[in-house]
């Protein structure tokens, strides 16, 4: 809670002024019935127009002050709550940026989106209600009770009994409603997840003609949310009947006894009139308080969810004295074990002992789920090893400044994306100060210049969000070019040419050999043709290196590698791959990693 309230920051003044003006507004409102009673008793009944004018002027002044105080309370309240929400969203976003992959794995994307939108909005509304309405309502309630006792202690006793009865009734309603609202709020994640999944995969949905199925899924998620809120609102709706029953009963009782007291001379007409005003004010304030409790209940669930994000400590962090110098691109895995979830005996890498020279090209191949991606993720320290160490340039990656390390170990991930903007803006993610000539050179190395030059605006051509307006192969080549913009000492291609034909794939590898000979290159692939010319090829199975050597060596020494090669060679091959001796072309053998 402290971390959330700390986001008030520069809006502390507005946060203090809002309840101040709210209380000033209440004081003026409470005085109005009292002044009205004086006008009736001292002016109208005694036919004293001077008293009427005097108290009438006081009433006008109190009304104007109340109006201005209410306006100022609203302005400062809106400024404080919106500013608070803005700061809170920025803090959540900043916190997420510090998360490692392991931290992000704990939260679903839909859950994080809900926290930054619906949850923050709930907290914003509750915050504004707390600094304004939650101050105004109880202050009005207490002030109305005090003024009613000042007017007539005997009549106020009836009023107090009715008020206590109403408080118990509304409290019971709120208690039931709070549980239902808390359960309903959890349905937002499910709804957001359905929307995000459908929109991001809309092409697949249409390709398989599954629109009706997706509509049914969304309707079910939306229906669950609808049913929960209807149930909660139905419970809250009981507030109004309870209030009407109790308040009108109290008015009837006070009217009956008050009339007798007026006739008996122990209560004036003006005092009875003011009592009615205070009764309505107190009852309405109590009802508003019941709604405040519901809102606070809803925001409590949001506070817990946001606190989970703000309290999450990044798994990876820099040491006090980090290294910002890398002598070369050599890589050493020294008896590395790795598991995604600490404390669980589910290691995905076992005793990896591997040494790669600077400038060497390494191919990695193996069955789906064998740990290929997990292995390279350790090099750029996207995760930390469970045991052992990973060294780049002779230095443990945990000793490097993470930003410096990732600038020198460039990774083209399996699911790399492009961002909305021009091609050159996307390329400058790799180097924000790069010239257009440097961008063109990187694109030539990635064989991306071929299709860019055919686009109407060339390097200024617009890219839709996620690269929706370019093909899979074009997207991969642009991502490779973006990685090259860093001029890294280590370049990792994680199955990042899978959508590229073998001829273009060969051109990219040739360009790497000619233009970045000193860069260590690690290429994960599913097709042998992508790695067969590498200096060495690793075969990984079930988290272990079961084979290492050149293409020719592995054909003799690794049964797994020979089987993969044989299955791909007999599979018909890529359409543009030259036929082999048996008249068969080498297949891509593309499978998901």
């Amino acid at each position: 809670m402290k971390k959330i309230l700390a986001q008030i920051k520069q809006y502390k003044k507005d946060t203090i002024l809002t309840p101040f003006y709210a209380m000033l507004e209440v004081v003026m409102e409470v005085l109005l019935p009292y002044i009205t009673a004086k006008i009736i008793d001292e002016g109208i009944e005694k036919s004293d127009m001077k008293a009427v004018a005097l108290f009438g002027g006081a009433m006008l002044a109190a009304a104007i002050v109340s109006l201005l105080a209410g306006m100022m309370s609203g302005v400062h309240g809106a400024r404080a709550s919106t500013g608070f929400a803005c700061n809170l969203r920025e803090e959540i976003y900043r916190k997420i940026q510090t998360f490692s992959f392991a931290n992000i794995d704990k939260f679903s994307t839909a859950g994080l989106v809900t926290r930054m939108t619906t949850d923050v909005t709930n907290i914003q509304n509750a915050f504004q209600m707390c600094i304004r309405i939650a101050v105004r309502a109880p202050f009005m309630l207490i002030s109305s009770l005090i003024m009613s006792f000042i007017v007539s202690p005997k009549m106020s006793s009836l009023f107090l009994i009715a008020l206590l009865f109403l408080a118990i009734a509304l409290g019971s309603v709120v208690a039931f409603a709070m549980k239902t609202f808390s359960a309903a709020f959890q349905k937002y994640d499910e709804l957001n997840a359905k929307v995000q999944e459908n929109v991001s995969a809309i092409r697949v949905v249409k390709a398989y003609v599954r629109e009706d199925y997706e509509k049914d899924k969304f309707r079910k998620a939306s229906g669950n949310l609808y049913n929960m809120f209807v149930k909660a609102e139905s419970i809250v709706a009981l507030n109004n009947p309870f209030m009407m029953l109790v308040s009108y009963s109290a008015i009837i009782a006070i009217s009956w006894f008050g009339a007798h007291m007026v006739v008996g001379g122990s209560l004036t007409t003006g005092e009875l009139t003011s009592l009615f005003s205070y009764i309505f004010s107190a009852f309405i304030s109590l009802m508003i308080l019941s709604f405040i409790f519901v809102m606070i209940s809803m925001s409590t669930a949001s506070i817990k969810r946001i606190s989970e994000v703000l309290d999450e400590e990044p798994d990876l962090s820099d040491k006090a004295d980090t290294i910002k110098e890398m002598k070369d691109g050599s890589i050493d895995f020294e008896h590395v074990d790795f598991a995604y979830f600490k404390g669980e005996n589910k290691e995905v890498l076992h005793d990896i002992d591997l040494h790669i020279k600077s400038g060497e090209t390494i191919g990695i191949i193996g069955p789906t789920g064998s740990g290929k991606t997990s292995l390279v993720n350790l090099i750029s320290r996207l995760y930390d090893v469970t045991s052992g160490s990973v060294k780049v340039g002779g230095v443990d990656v945990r000793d490097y400044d993470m930003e410096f390390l990732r600038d020198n170990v460039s990774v083209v991930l399996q699911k790399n994306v492009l961002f909305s903007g021009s091609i050159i803006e996307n390329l400058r993610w790799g180097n924000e100060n790069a010239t257009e000539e440097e961008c063109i050179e990187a694109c030539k190395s990635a064989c991306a210049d071929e299709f860019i030059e055919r686009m109407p605006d060339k390097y200024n051509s617009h890219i839709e969000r996620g690269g929706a307006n370019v093909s899979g192969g074009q997207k991969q080549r642009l991502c490779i070019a973006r990685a090259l913009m860093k001029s890294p000492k280590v370049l990792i291609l994680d199955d990042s040419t899978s959508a590229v034909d073998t001829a273009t794939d060969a051109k990219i590898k040739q360009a790497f050999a000619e233009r970045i000979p000193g860069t260590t290159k690690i290429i994960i692939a599913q097709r042998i043709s992508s790695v067969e010319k590498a200096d060495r090829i690793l075969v990984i199975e079930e988290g272990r290196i079961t084979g290492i050597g050149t293409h020719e060596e592995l054909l003799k020494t690794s049964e797994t590698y020979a089987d993969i090669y044989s299955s791909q060679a007999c599979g018909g091959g890529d359409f543009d791959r030259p036929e082999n001796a048996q008249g068969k072309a080498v297949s891509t053998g593309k499978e998901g990693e």
Side-chain angles (χ1 to χ4, degrees):
M1 192 66 185
K2 288 182 179 179
K3 290 183 179 179
I4 292 176
L5 291 178
Q7 304 313 311
I8 295 172
K9 294 180 181 177
Q10 69 269 38
Y11 299 101
K12 289 180 181 177
K13 182 179 178 182
D14 294 295
T15 303
I16 294 170
L17 288 176
T18 299
F20 169 77
Y21 282 117
M23 287 189 288
L24 179 60
E25 180 186 16
V26 169
V27 169
M28 294 299 107
E29 286 185 9
V30 167
L31 286 176
L32 290 176
Y34 183 79
I35 297 172
T36 302
K38 290 294 183 183
I39 290 174
I40 294 171
D41 294 338
E42 302 294 332
I44 296 173
E45 289 194 355
K46 295 180 180 180
S47 300
D48 187 349
M49 295 308 296
K50 190 177 289 186
V52 171
L54 178 63
F55 288 114
M59 176 179 282
L60 179 63
I64 291 172
V65 172
S66 177
L67 174 65
L68 293 175
M71 289 173 59
M72 294 302 293
S73 177
V75 169
H76 287 290
R79 189 179 298 163
S81 61
T82 53
F84 168 67
C86 180
N87 288 342
L88 186 56
R89 283 193 183 94
E90 289 180 359
E91 180 63 18
I92 296 169
Y93 190 77
R94 185 200 65 77
K95 185 72 174 185
I96 292 171
Q97 298 305 305
T98 67
F99 285 173
S100 67
F101 279 22
N103 293 117
I104 294 173
D105 290 342
K106 296 180 182 179
F107 303 96
S108 68
T109 304
L112 290 173
V113 170
T114 303
R115 284 168 169 85
M116 292 189 66
T117 52
T118 307
D119 284 323
V120 171
T121 300
N122 280 339
I123 293 176
Q124 175 185 344
N125 293 336
F127 179 72
Q128 184 172 29
M129 191 169 281
C130 285
I131 62 175
R132 191 179 180 201
I133 308 300
V135 171
R136 190 184 190 286
F139 191 59
M140 174 64 83
L141 176 63
I142 294 169
S143 300
S144 296
L145 277 171
I146 292 172
M147 291 302 295
S148 65
F149 271 96
I150 290 174
V151 172
S152 175
K154 187 182 291 185
M155 293 294 293
S156 296
S157 299
L158 288 173
F159 170 37
L160 184 60
I161 293 170
L163 200 62
L164 289 173
F165 179 78
L166 181 60
I168 294 170
L170 294 183
S172 301
V173 169
V174 169
F176 284 109
M178 285 169 77
K179 293 179 181 179
T180 311
F181 271 120
S182 296
F185 196 70
Q186 296 174 3
K187 299 294 181 182
Y188 272 117
D189 275 2
E190 294 179 17
L191 190 65
N192 279 346
K194 294 291 184 296
V195 173
Q196 183 180 15
E197 181 181 50
N198 183 276
V199 172
S200 61
I202 191 66
R203 287 172 175 78
V204 179
V205 173
K206 290 187 177 295
Y208 284 88
V209 197
R210 299 289 282 178
E211 290 92 341
D212 291 338
Y213 174 74
E214 287 296 318
K215 287 176 185 176
D216 289 339
K217 281 175 61 179
F218 179 81
R219 191 179 296 113
K220 184 178 180 181
S222 182
N224 288 337
L225 187 63
Y226 166 81
N227 292 332
M228 294 295 286
F229 269 100
V230 166
K231 181 180 178 181
E233 294 290 352
S234 298
I235 296 171
V236 173
L238 294 173
N239 275 2
N240 199 52
F242 275 129
M243 183 194 148
M244 291 298 105
L245 175 64
V246 174
S247 59
Y248 283 122
S249 298
I251 288 169
I252 291 170
I254 290 172
S255 297
W256 174 265
F257 291 108
H260 284 80
M261 291 178 70
V262 169
V263 171
S266 59
L267 189 70
T268 66
T269 304
E271 289 173 339
L272 182 60
T273 302
S274 64
L275 274 175
F276 286 135
S277 296
Y278 292 132
I279 288 170
F280 272 116
S281 295
F283 282 154
I284 290 172
S285 297
L286 188 60
M287 189 171 181
I288 290 173
L289 276 174
S290 70
F291 283 113
I292 290 173
F293 284 124
V294 172
M295 179 62 73
I296 290 174
S297 171
M298 292 176 64
S299 65
T300 299
S302 296
I303 288 170
K304 288 179 180 178
R305 288 159 54 81
I306 288 176
S307 294
E308 288 174 1
V309 177
L310 297 181
D311 292 338
E312 179 75 12
E313 290 299 324
D315 278 4
L316 306 181
S317 59
D318 286 329
K319 294 181 178 179
D321 298 317
T322 55
I323 297 172
K324 293 185 178 182
E325 185 177 348
M326 188 179 292
K327 69 175 184 178
D328 57 36
S330 61
I331 303 169
D332 298 289
F333 286 82
E334 298 181 347
H335 301 287
V336 168
D337 293 324
F338 172 67
Y340 281 102
F341 302 103
K342 295 178 181 178
E344 294 186 13
N345 190 26
K346 294 182 180 178
E347 293 181 343
V348 294
L349 295 174
H350 310 275
D351 194 28
I352 301 296
D353 196 61
L354 173 67
H355 304 279
I356 301 170
K357 297 176 183 177
S358 182
E360 196 172 8
T361 298
I362 300 294
I364 302 179
I365 200 161
T368 299
S370 58
K372 302 185 295 295
T373 297
S374 301
L375 180 74
V376 297
N377 280 344
L378 300 177
I379 300 173
S380 56
R381 206 188 171 197
L382 298 179
Y383 295 92
D384 267 345
V385 299
T386 303
S387 63
S389 66
V390 178
K391 295 180 179 179
V392 177
V395 176
D396 194 311
V397 293
R398 290 168 291 193
D399 295 330
Y400 281 115
D401 175 83
M402 278 193 287
E403 185 176 334
F404 172 80
L405 173 66
R406 291 169 187 172
D407 274 338
N408 283 275
V409 179
S410 197
V411 184
V412 184
L413 298 169
Q414 284 177 306
K415 296 182 180 179
N416 254 317
V417 297
L418 298 173
F419 298 88
S420 56
S422 68
I423 288 175
I424 201 162
E425 286 173 345
N426 271 276
L427 294 172
R428 283 175 176 156
W429 273 64
N431 179 3
E432 60 183 353
N433 299 314
T435 63
E436 187 170 345
E437 290 72 22
E438 289 172 329
C439 292
I440 293 172
E441 192 65 25
C443 287
K444 286 180 179 178
S445 297
C447 294
D449 62 315
E450 299 173 358
F451 70 86
I452 294 174
E453 291 296 333
R454 294 195 299 268
M455 300 179 92
D457 297 320
K458 295 183 171 49
Y459 285 84
N460 291 314
S461 298
H462 183 74
I463 298 292
E464 299 292 342
R465 184 175 67 89
N469 60 333
V470 292
S471 71
Q474 290 171 342
K475 185 191 297 185
Q476 286 186 337
R477 282 181 274 175
L478 285 172
C479 289
I480 292 170
R482 183 174 64 189
L484 291 174
M485 294 299 298
K486 290 187 174 184
S487 300
K489 284 189 167 58
V490 178
L491 175 65
I492 299 172
L493 303 180
D494 186 357
D495 206 14
S496 52
T497 57
S498 57
V500 175
D501 60 77
T502 51
T504 303
D505 189 10
K507 288 181 183 178
I508 293 172
K509 303 302 188 303
Q510 183 62 32
F512 286 174
E514 294 173 357
R515 302 187 187 209
I516 51 171
T519 298
T520 304
K521 296 166 280 292
I522 299 178
I523 303 166
I524 295 177
Q526 292 291 342
R527 58 190 183 195
I528 297 253
S529 60
S530 294
V531 298
E532 62 182 341
K533 295 187 183 300
D535 297 322
R536 286 187 294 165
I537 303 169
L538 307 182
V539 180
I540 298 182
E541 297 179 85
E542 297 182 353
R544 300 180 187 276
I545 298 176
T546 59
I548 183 168
T550 63
H551 172 68
E552 291 75 15
E553 290 171 346
L554 286 174
L555 285 174
K556 298 174 183 177
T557 60
S558 173
E559 184 178 345
T560 300
Y561 187 84
D563 286 344
I564 295 172
Y565 178 75
S566 177
S567 65
Q568 292 182 7
C570 296
D574 294 333
F575 73 93
D576 58 351
R577 179 132 173 108
E579 293 185 350
N580 59 22
Q582 286 74 34
K584 300 284 184 121
V586 178
S587 160
T588 60
K590 176 69 182 76
E591 297 174 4
E593 172 66 356

